[in-house]
């Protein structure tokens, strides 16, 4: 058996080197266990670290230990603890080789520091991205807002131009101009929607509304859009879905029309269809599946993710009209509703976009029969008398004219006059007594909000006080506030909810 | 003596200065690396810099006292791309000054290659930081200048 002294030899002495130097730094003795230090060397020439021996002479204690000193001597590297002890006329250096110990510490510290630095960088990166995103969205929002005014002027002037004496070629050019205007307007609205969603400025407004009539409105709109084309539009909904649900009607409409417009854009012939099915009903919650399918060109599998990103289409060759914002709006809006849109597609066969939303429905309303007589609904709101009211409808869009005409006539409550040009409104109002005006905002020549201001500033009481209900496709909160400020009594947004519109009219008549 | 939080590029600055090389790979320093370089500070006048590259710390307060013995000058380095390394810079500098009064101190913002100049100045102003040098060990920008400046300070000092 080895003696303890031998063990000490074996396990400690091999790692500890003793060096004695004089006060000038000359090596007097070295046991050369691992460092090539020889008598006669100047210790500071062995390694620059040892120049620190001089400071030992300045300390009161007469000794100091340096931990973790990296020493590379004669091509060999060690990590050591070095003790320096002032022995009066010489200095003793005790050099302890702890390379293994420090190397393992290094690994731990490496992992720790790296992870701290990385998480710091991730936080910074996110902050930077958020900041950039915010800046981008604010910029886009303000910028597109600013663009709307000049665009309104362009639209007005184009309309004036259209009415002037034009030869065939000029009139073709004006048609092209009108088309471009409409496209630009759509784009701006889309960009504003996108930036509102991205910057968190778009807030859903939940209200009870009639889902079935919304679907019928969509069927009417797309039925007429596809009339005379080789495309058929089909609406199919489960009869068990509640008629009245609570949700943001405008946004649901926007999602569905964006999907349908997208389907129309990529379908040459065949059909596009909207299908609404019931997933489940529980308590007062209902989960619905909306599906828009087409027999269009289809989407390659690898692109099914990219189509939901903003401006995707801009990168494509042979692009169709539109910047490809529609689907990205759909994705954003559904995100706000806690849902997600999915796509199934087969190249050359067609695509199908679908999503599920859970909405609240009022139990008492839900118990009503699915199809309710409009007249019955009306009676609830209709003033007692059987008097008919005179309505001035100021609207230039033919399709909207048609919808409004039909719905208002159906009630048998109104006489309706129509004006389709902002410049003609005042004259009409002065010459005819109206009980209420339904005023579109985007009108040729003079916008509806400005006409409202003019009417409110009119010197005659009976004209000045005519109730005015704004009807607009501008669904941004700030727009609505602006219209009310201009003097409108209420603002109803397109697509109209029949009841909402009627309620606004009836309220203004009281 | 080179001080500062971990990962600010102390070792890289020295490597750039002494060996004129650079590696993007972060390698944690444990303990202390000591290197030496002779710097010309004037005609026929040079200073031998023995540079102690100390392991980075979370807290300046934690620097081992022994390391500070015989220190003639201090370079305090922060990383302009990581706020955690300069958020308390002025406090850190006070601690260093308390530990080593009358020792010349050079304050260095490293990794300037990662920032845009104008933004960097705003960042420094916002944090009330006065750096003597803004360096990049990666490009070598102002590294020699900084060490030479220190050498000249020490020369005047000694």
């Amino acid at each position: 058996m080895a003696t303890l002294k031998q063990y000490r030899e074996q396990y400690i002495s091999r790692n500890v080197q003793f060096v004695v130097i004089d006060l000038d730094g000359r090596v007097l003795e070295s046991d050369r266990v691992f460092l090539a230090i020889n008598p006669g060397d100047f210790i500071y020439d062995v390694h620059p670290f040892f120049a620190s021996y001089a400071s030992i002479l300045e300390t009161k204690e007469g000794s100091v230990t340096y931990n973790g000193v990296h020493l590379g001597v004669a091509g060999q590297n060690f990590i050591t603890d070095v003790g320096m002890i002032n022995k009066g006329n010489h200095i003793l250096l005790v050099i302890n080789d702890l390379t293994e110990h420090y190397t393992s510490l290094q690994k731990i510290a490496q992992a720790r520091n790296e992870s701290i630095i990385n998480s710091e960088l991730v936080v910074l990166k996110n902050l930077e991205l958020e900041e950039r995103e915010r800046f981008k969205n604010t910029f886009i929002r303000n910028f597109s807002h600013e663009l709307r005014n000049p665009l309104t002027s362009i639209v007005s002037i184009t309309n004036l131009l259209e009415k002037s004496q034009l030869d065939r070629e000029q009139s073709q050019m004006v048609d092209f101009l009108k088309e471009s205007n409409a496209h630009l307007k759509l784009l701006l609205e889309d960009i504003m929607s996108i930036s509102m969603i991205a910057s968190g400025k778009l807030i859903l407004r939940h209200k009870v509304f009639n889902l079935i009539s919304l679907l019928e409105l969509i069927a009417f709109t797309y039925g007429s859009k596809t009339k005379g084309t080789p495309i058929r539009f089909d609406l199919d909904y489960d009869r068990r879905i509640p008629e009245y649900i609570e949700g943001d009607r405008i946004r649901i409409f926007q999602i569905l029309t964006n999907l349908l417009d997208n389907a129309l854009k990529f379908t040459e012939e065949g059909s596009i269809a909207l299908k609404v099915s019931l997933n489940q009903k529980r308590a007062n919650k209902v989960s619905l599946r909306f599906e828009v399918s087409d027999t269009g060109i289809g989407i390659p599998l690898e692109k099914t993710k990219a189509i939901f990103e903003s401006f995707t289409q801009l990168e494509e060759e042979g692009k169709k009209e539109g910047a490809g914002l529609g689907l990205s709006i759909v994705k954003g809006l559904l995100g706000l509703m806690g849902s997600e849109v999915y796509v199934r597609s087969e190249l050359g066969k067609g695509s199908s976009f679908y999503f599920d939303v859970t909405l609240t429905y009022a139990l008492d309303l839900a118990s009503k029969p699915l199809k309710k007589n409009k007249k019955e609904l009306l009676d609830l709101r209709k003033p007692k008398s059987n008097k008919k009211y005179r309505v001035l409808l100021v609207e230039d869009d033919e399709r909207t004219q048609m919808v409004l005409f039909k719905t208002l006539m159906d009630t048998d409550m109104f006489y309706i006059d129509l004006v389709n040009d902002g410049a003609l409104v005042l004259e009409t109002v002065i010459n005819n007594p109206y009980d209420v005006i339904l005023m579109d905002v985007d009108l040729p020549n003079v916008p509806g909000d400005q006409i409202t201001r003019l009417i409110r500033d009119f010197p005659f009481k009976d004209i000045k006080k005519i109730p005015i209900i704004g009807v607009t496709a501008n669904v941004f909160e700030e727009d609505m506030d602006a219209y009310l400020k201009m003097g409108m009594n209420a603002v109803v947004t397109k697509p109209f909810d029949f009841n909402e519109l009627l309620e606004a009219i009836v309220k203004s008549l009281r | 003596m080179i001080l500062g939080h971990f990962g600010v590029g102390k070792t890289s600055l020295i490597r750039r200065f002494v060996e004129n090389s650079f590696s993007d790979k972060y390698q944690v320093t444990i303990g202390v690396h000591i290197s030496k370089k002779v710097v010309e500070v004037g005609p026929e006048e040079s200073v031998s810099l023995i540079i102690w590259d100390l392991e980075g710390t979370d807290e300046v307060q934690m620097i081992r006292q022994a390391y500070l013995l015989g220190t003639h000058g201090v370079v305090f380095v922060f990383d302009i791309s990581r706020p955690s390394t300069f958020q308390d810079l002025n406090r850190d500098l006070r601690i260093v000054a308390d530990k080593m009064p009358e020792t010349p101190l050079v304050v260095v913002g490293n990794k300037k290659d990662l920032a845009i100049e104008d933004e960097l100045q705003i960042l420094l102003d916002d944090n009330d930081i006065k750096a003597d040098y803004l360096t990049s060990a990666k490009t070598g920008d102002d590294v020699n200048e900084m060490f030479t400046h220190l050498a000249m300070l020490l020369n005047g000092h000694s």
Side-chain angles (χ1 to χ4, degrees):
Chain A
M1 197 179 89
T3 63
L4 283 182
K5 194 174 173 231
Q6 284 168 323
Y7 280 135
R8 185 179 295 276
E9 278 291 301
Q10 194 177 342
Y11 289 105
I12 295 181
S13 302
R14 276 205 319 201
N15 297 328
V16 182
Q17 180 162 349
F18 289 87
V19 180
V20 177
I21 58 173
D22 68 15
L23 301 186
D24 294 326
R26 191 194 297 272
V27 176
L28 301 175
E29 270 188 273
S30 165
D31 54 8
R32 249 204 99 155
V33 176
F34 57 95
L35 287 174
I37 301 175
N38 300 308
D41 291 345
F42 277 100
I43 193 74
Y44 42 79
D45 289 335
V46 173
H47 190 278
F49 159 73
F50 290 112
S52 60
Y53 87 91
S55 40
I56 185 77
L57 304 172
E58 295 160 18
T59 63
K60 271 186 280 173
E61 296 83 3
S63 76
V64 66
T65 302
Y66 293 97
N67 300 103
V69 180
H70 291 248
L71 292 176
V73 178
Q76 278 192 293
N77 294 307
F78 301 92
I79 314 176
T80 62
D81 280 358
V82 181
M84 295 185 179
I85 302 138
N86 189 352
K87 293 287 185 186
N89 58 353
H90 64 271
I91 295 164
L92 172 65
L93 308 180
V94 183
I95 307 167
N96 200 344
D97 175 15
L98 295 167
T99 307
E100 245 175 69
H101 164 70
Y102 280 116
T103 306
S104 68
L105 273 189
Q106 201 278 343
K107 281 184 187 138
I108 296 165
Q110 182 81 32
R112 169 189 173 272
N113 290 8
E114 271 178 11
S115 100
I116 293 176
I117 291 172
N118 284 342
S119 58
E120 270 178 46
L121 292 180
V122 166
V123 170
L124 285 176
K125 188 102 206 153
N126 283 344
L127 280 177
E128 194 190 318
L129 283 180
E130 274 169 30
E131 180 57 37
R132 245 189 243 171
E133 205 44 35
R134 220 184 345 263
F135 176 80
K136 186 185 86 184
N137 285 317
T138 312
F139 175 80
I140 291 176
R141 199 154 44 86
N142 293 342
F143 185 67
S144 31
H145 203 86
E146 289 304 314
L147 282 181
R148 289 204 305 179
N149 286 333
L151 181 63
T152 308
S153 310
I154 296 171
V155 169
S156 304
I157 291 166
T158 310
N159 287 330
L160 277 180
L161 205 58
E162 192 186 17
K163 282 180 200 139
S164 63
Q165 290 288 332
L166 300 174
D167 62 31
R168 231 187 77 145
E169 198 184 353
Q170 286 170 327
S171 129
Q172 270 176 351
M173 287 195 282
V174 170
D175 280 348
F176 182 71
L177 200 54
K178 277 181 76 177
E179 212 172 282
S180 302
N181 287 344
H183 180 203
L184 189 55
K185 188 159 169 281
L186 208 67
L187 258 178
L188 271 182
E189 278 163 9
D190 279 356
I191 288 174
M192 283 181 71
S193 287
I194 286 277
S195 58
M196 300 265 298
I197 294 168
S199 58
K201 295 263 179 201
L202 199 146
I203 294 152
L204 296 178
R205 280 175 297 179
H206 294 283
K207 268 201 230 161
V208 175
F209 71 93
N210 187 324
L211 177 63
I212 305 298
S213 49
L214 185 73
L215 294 177
E216 277 167 359
L217 177 68
I218 288 174
F220 175 78
T221 310
Y222 286 88
S224 39
K225 267 191 184 180
T226 50
K227 209 170 191 173
T229 72
I231 304 167
R232 195 181 68 247
F233 175 78
D234 296 319
L235 169 68
D236 173 22
Y237 58 86
D238 189 322
R239 301 285 138 178
R240 292 170 302 161
I241 65 174
E243 183 174 12
Y244 287 91
I245 55 171
E246 194 180 325
D248 192 323
R249 181 174 165 277
I250 303 266
R251 299 305 167 191
I252 290 174
F253 181 79
Q254 196 178 3
I255 291 167
L256 293 174
T257 51
N258 276 354
L259 288 176
L260 286 165
D261 286 339
N262 185 67
L264 266 184
K265 207 191 297 178
F266 294 103
T267 306
E268 299 282 337
E269 58 181 347
S271 69
I272 60 171
L274 170 61
K275 186 177 172 189
V276 188
S277 41
L278 178 75
N279 293 329
Q280 60 178 1
K281 267 190 207 176
R282 197 170 292 162
N284 63 340
K285 298 277 183 198
V286 59
S287 165
L288 300 174
R289 166 159 298 190
F290 293 83
E291 181 165 1
V292 170
S293 50
D294 63 58
T295 57
I297 56 173
I299 307 150
L301 189 63
E302 68 274 14
K303 297 222 168 120
T304 48
K305 266 222 169 79
I307 53 170
F308 296 107
E309 303 305 323
S310 307
F311 303 105
T312 296
Q313 221 192 81
L314 289 180
E315 298 157 11
E316 300 289 315
E317 288 289 323
K319 64 192 180 216
K320 298 246 179 179
E321 190 180 82
L325 290 171
L327 293 180
S328 143
I329 293 172
V330 168
K331 183 184 167 193
L333 289 176
L334 282 173
L336 292 178
M337 295 180 189
S339 176
E340 217 177 320
V341 60
Y342 300 94
V343 60
R344 277 189 296 252
S345 186
E346 202 175 327
L347 266 183
K349 293 243 164 114
S351 312
S352 161
F353 293 81
Y354 61 97
F355 60 90
D356 296 325
V357 277
T358 302
L359 298 156
T360 309
Y361 71 102
L363 288 166
D364 55 334
L365 279 171
S367 59
K368 288 186 176 171
L370 192 62
K371 273 276 168 187
K372 189 150 183 64
N373 192 334
K374 267 181 189 161
K375 192 98 170 107
E376 222 177 300
L377 257 171
L378 267 178
D379 288 340
L380 301 172
R381 295 174 174 83
K382 199 173 170 178
K384 291 276 179 287
S385 71
N386 282 324
K387 179 189 168 198
K388 278 199 175 187
Y389 299 94
R390 293 198 65 163
V391 178
L392 176 63
L393 173 59
V394 187
E395 172 66 64
D396 63 323
D397 179 63
E398 279 174 29
R399 196 170 292 137
T400 313
Q401 286 171 5
M402 215 150 67
V403 174
L404 284 174
F405 240 98
K406 194 172 171 311
T407 38
L408 292 178
M409 291 305 270
D410 275 357
T411 64
D412 207 24
M413 283 168 63
F414 308 105
Y415 298 113
I416 305 163
D417 286 346
L418 176 74
V419 170
N420 58 11
D421 186 329
L424 304 175
V425 178
L426 264 191
E427 194 192 324
T428 317
V429 171
I430 291 167
N431 295 323
N432 305 280
Y434 289 108
D435 295 304
V436 63
I437 304 174
L438 296 186
M439 181 85 75
D440 181 21
V441 176
D442 295 319
L443 285 167
N445 298 321
V446 191
D449 52 338
Q450 282 183 35
I451 304 171
T452 305
R453 186 74 267 157
L454 290 173
I455 293 175
R456 293 291 175 247
D457 289 340
F458 213 74
F460 302 117
K461 229 180 181 175
D462 50 341
I463 289 179
K464 176 182 181 139
K465 293 251 160 124
I466 303 175
I468 301 175
I469 295 166
V471 286
T472 174
N474 301 331
V475 291
F476 298 110
E477 205 104 353
E478 58 206 76
D479 291 327
M480 306 249 223
D481 290 347
Y483 303 152
L484 294 174
K485 242 180 222 158
M486 292 296 251
M488 290 184 179
N489 299 58
V491 182
V492 178
T493 48
K494 294 177 188 173
F496 310 110
D497 178 85
F498 173 72
N499 291 319
E500 193 188 350
L501 180 66
L502 203 67
E503 213 168 87
I505 295 174
V506 170
K507 213 187 246 173
S508 73
L509 291 174
R510 276 176 189 151
Chain B
M1 179 83 56
I2 317 287
L3 299 178
H5 289 245
F6 61 80
V8 298
K10 298 181 290 296
T11 305
S12 293
L13 281 171
I14 295 164
R15 194 177 284 177
R16 170 60 73 195
F17 175 59
V18 176
E19 304 166 14
N20 197 22
S21 68
F22 176 80
S23 160
D24 249 327
K25 194 174 176 303
Y26 173 47
Q27 175 84 23
V28 172
T29 302
I30 283 288
V32 58
H33 275 280
I34 294 112
S35 42
K36 181 174 161 181
K37 181 162 174 169
V38 177
V39 185
E40 303 289 328
V41 290
E44 320 237 327
E45 204 178 351
S46 60
V47 171
S48 175
L49 285 182
I50 296 172
I51 306 165
W52 285 48
D53 174 17
L54 246 56
E55 65 186 15
T57 48
D58 298 322
E59 282 290 336
V60 184
Q61 194 70 54
M62 283 156 54
I63 297 167
R64 295 177 217 217
Q65 200 62 34
Y67 290 148
L68 306 180
L69 266 180
T71 298
H72 294 119
V74 174
V75 176
F76 193 97
V77 186
F78 64 93
D79 174 352
I80 58 107
S81 72
R82 272 167 57 220
S84 67
T85 70
F86 58 74
Q87 259 156 5
D88 296 317
L89 184 74
N90 291 326
R91 192 206 63 179
D92 289 348
L93 293 177
R94 264 198 307 279
I95 294 172
V96 173
D98 283 348
K99 281 179 182 275
M100 288 168 283
E102 293 173 42
T103 308
L105 173 63
V106 177
V107 180
V108 176
N110 190 35
K111 306 194 192 177
K112 89 190 243 192
D113 54 285
L114 295 179
I116 298 162
E117 200 145 346
D118 294 349
E119 286 178 8
L120 182 53
Q121 201 47 54
I122 294 168
L123 178 84
L124 296 177
D125 291 347
D126 284 353
N127 285 279
D128 192 25
I129 288 173
K130 286 176 190 66
D132 298 310
Y133 282 89
L134 297 172
T135 60
S136 165
K138 187 172 187 170
T139 64
D141 206 0
D142 259 359
V143 176
N144 282 336
E145 288 78 354
M146 181 268 290
F147 279 108
T148 306
H149 171 77
L150 178 70
M152 287 165 89
L153 277 181
L154 297 180
N155 200 35
H157 185 71
S158 51

